[in-house]
C-alpha cells in the first residue's frame, strides 16, 4: 500500500450545536483539538489540510459532503475529530477511543498516546463498518473520539492535558506518513473558547490565549463578507472586498 502524502483533518458534523451537547459542545471541543494538531503539523512542515463543513443542513448532507470532499483526491490520510456522548452528566471518567474500518494499527497508536499523556480511560481502537467517512472514502481514515461531553472527569483531563494530547497525536500522525515533529510550536496552557460577533447576530468561534483573542482568518473573512486569497509561495493571505 502506498504511504499517504498528507494528513486531511476535518471536524465532524456541520457547526456548533450539531453534534453531541452536554457539559460542553462536541463540535467546539473537536475544533479546538483538531485545529491545534493541524497547526503543530504545519509548523513542522508536515503536509496537512483542515476542513469544516459549513453548508450542510442535516446529518445526511454532512456525511455526503465530507465524503465528497475527501474523495476529490486519493493521496491523503483522513483524521476526523469528535467527542462522544453517553447520556446524563457523570463525575466518572468514560474515556477516549479511536474508530477505524481498516486502519487498526494507527488507530491503536493514536488512542494509546492520547490516554498515556492525559490519564483518560483507554476504550481502545474499535472497528466500525457503519460510518460513511470510514467506509465510503477512497483514502484511509480514522475517527478520534477525544472524550465524552457528559463526563466531568473526561473534560477535566482534556482541558488539563490539552497541549500534551495535541503534541502527542501530531507526532504519531506525522510519523505515520513519514515525517517527524521536531519541536513544540506555540505551546499554550488551557486556551479558553470564545466568540467574535458581527452586529450581535453572526459569530465565529475564537480562542483566548494569553489574554489575546485568536480566530481563523478564513472564518473572519467569511464573517465580514470578504474574499480570501492565499499565496503558498509567499505565505501571504490577502483579503478583498466583494463588489
Amino acid at each position: 500500500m502506498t504511504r499517504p502524502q498528507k494528513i486531511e483533518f476535518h471536524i465532524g458534523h456541520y457547526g456548533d450545536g450539531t453534534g453531541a451537547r452536554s457539559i460542553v459542545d462536541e463540535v467546539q471541543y473537536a475544533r479546538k483539538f483538531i485545529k491545534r494538531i493541524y497547526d503543530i503539523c504545519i509548523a513542522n512542515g508536515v503536509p496537512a489540510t483542515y476542513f469544516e463543513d459549513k453548508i450542510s443542513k442535516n446529518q445526511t448532507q454532512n456525511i455526503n459532503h465530507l465524503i465528497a470532499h475527501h474523495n476529490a483526491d486519493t493521496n491523503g490520510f483522513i483524521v476526523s475529530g469528535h467527542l462522544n456522548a453517553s447520556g446524563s452528566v457523570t463525575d466518572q471518567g468514560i474515556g477516549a477511543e479511536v474508530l477505524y474500518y481498516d486502519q487498526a494499527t494507527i488507530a491503536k497508536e493514536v488512542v494509546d498516546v492520547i490516554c498515556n499523556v492525559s490519564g483518560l480511560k483507554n476504550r481502545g481502537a474499535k472497528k466500525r463498518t457503519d460510518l460513511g467517512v470510514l467506509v465510503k472514502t477512497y483514502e484511509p481514515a480514522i475517527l478520534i473520539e477525544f472524550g465524552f461531553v457528559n463526563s466531568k472527569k473526561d473534560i477535566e483531563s482534556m482541558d488539563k492535558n490539552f497541549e500534551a494530547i495535541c503534541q502527542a497525536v501530531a507526532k504519531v500522525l506525522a510519523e505515520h506518513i513519514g515525517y517527524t515533529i521536531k519541536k513544540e510550536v506555540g505551546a499554550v496552557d488551557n486556551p479558553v473558547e470564545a466568540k467574535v460577533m458581527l452586529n450581535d447576530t453572526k459569530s465565529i468561534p475564537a480562542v483566548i490565549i494569553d489574554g489575546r483573542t485568536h480566530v481563523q482568518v478564513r472564518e473572519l473573512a467569511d464573517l465580514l463578507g470578504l474574499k480570501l486569497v492565499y499565496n503558498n509561495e509567499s505565505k501571504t493571505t490577502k483579503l478583498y472586498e466583494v463588489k
Side-chain angles (χ1 to χ4, degrees):
M1 180 179 295
T2 303
R3 173 177 278 179
Q5 298 175 18
K6 62 182 176 179
I7 304 170
E8 297 183 4
F9 293 100
H10 76 245
I11 309 304
H13 305 286
Y14 50 102
D16 293 356
T18 63
R21 285 175 290 173
S22 183
I23 304 171
V24 297
D25 183 289
E26 174 188 1
V27 176
Q28 292 178 354
Y29 254 63
R31 180 186 297 116
K32 179 173 70 171
F33 275 100
I34 292 297
K35 277 186 175 179
R36 179 63 184 137
I37 296 168
Y38 165 77
D39 287 343
I40 294 168
C41 288
I42 292 298
N44 280 273
V46 181
T49 61
Y50 174 88
F51 179 74
E52 287 189 49
D53 175 9
K54 297 181 179 180
I55 66 173
S56 294
K57 302 300 182 183
N58 56 55
Q59 185 178 8
T60 299
Q61 288 181 6
N62 171 240
I63 296 301
N64 290 336
H65 190 195
L66 290 174
I67 292 170
H69 168 75
H70 289 294
N71 282 348
D73 58 51
T74 59
N75 63 347
F77 180 79
I78 302 167
V79 178
S80 181
H82 293 257
L83 264 71
N84 223 327
S86 64
S88 59
V89 172
T90 177
D91 293 327
Q92 301 300 311
I94 307 176
E97 61 191 33
V98 176
L99 312 181
Y100 69 93
Y101 174 67
D102 58 1
Q103 298 295 307
T105 300
I106 184 62
K108 183 179 186 305
E109 290 176 1
V110 171
V111 71
D112 284 352
V113 77
I114 289 172
C115 296
N116 287 343
V117 301
S118 68
L120 283 158
K121 180 180 178 181
N122 194 332
R123 295 170 57 86
K126 299 183 178 180
K127 183 179 177 70
R128 293 286 294 271
T129 60
D130 59 334
L131 300 178
V133 168
L134 298 181
V135 302
K136 294 184 179 181
T137 48
Y138 303 140
E139 301 168 319
I142 59 172
L143 190 155
I144 303 176
E145 301 274 13
F146 288 98
F148 278 70
V149 298
N150 59 299
S151 167
K152 293 181 180 179
K153 183 67 175 177
D154 282 8
I155 295 165
E156 178 185 354
S157 296
M158 286 187 288
D159 286 344
K160 181 180 179 180
N161 301 286
F162 170 77
E163 187 63 25
I165 292 171
C166 293
Q167 294 285 348
V169 172
K171 182 178 180 180
V172 170
L173 293 175
E175 291 175 350
H176 184 63
I177 67 167
Y179 288 79
T180 301
I181 299 293
K182 298 180 180 179
K183 57 183 177 180
E184 294 188 5
V185 180
V188 296
D189 293 323
N190 298 327
V192 177
E193 293 289 327
K195 287 184 178 180
V196 171
M197 299 191 72
L198 176 65
N199 297 329
D200 294 324
T201 54
K202 297 181 179 180
S203 68
I204 57 174
V207 62
I208 299 174
I209 302 172
D210 294 333
R212 295 183 177 183
T213 301
H214 299 256
V215 297
Q216 291 286 320
V217 67
R218 184 172 297 280
E219 293 181 344
L220 182 62
D222 290 343
L223 181 68
L224 299 176
L226 301 175
K227 179 182 178 181
L228 182 150
V229 177
Y230 177 69
N231 187 307
N232 189 51
E233 291 186 6
S234 64
K235 307 300 181 187
T236 301
T237 299
K238 296 182 179 181
L239 300 178
Y240 296 94
E241 292 181 332
V242 179
K243 298 181 180 180

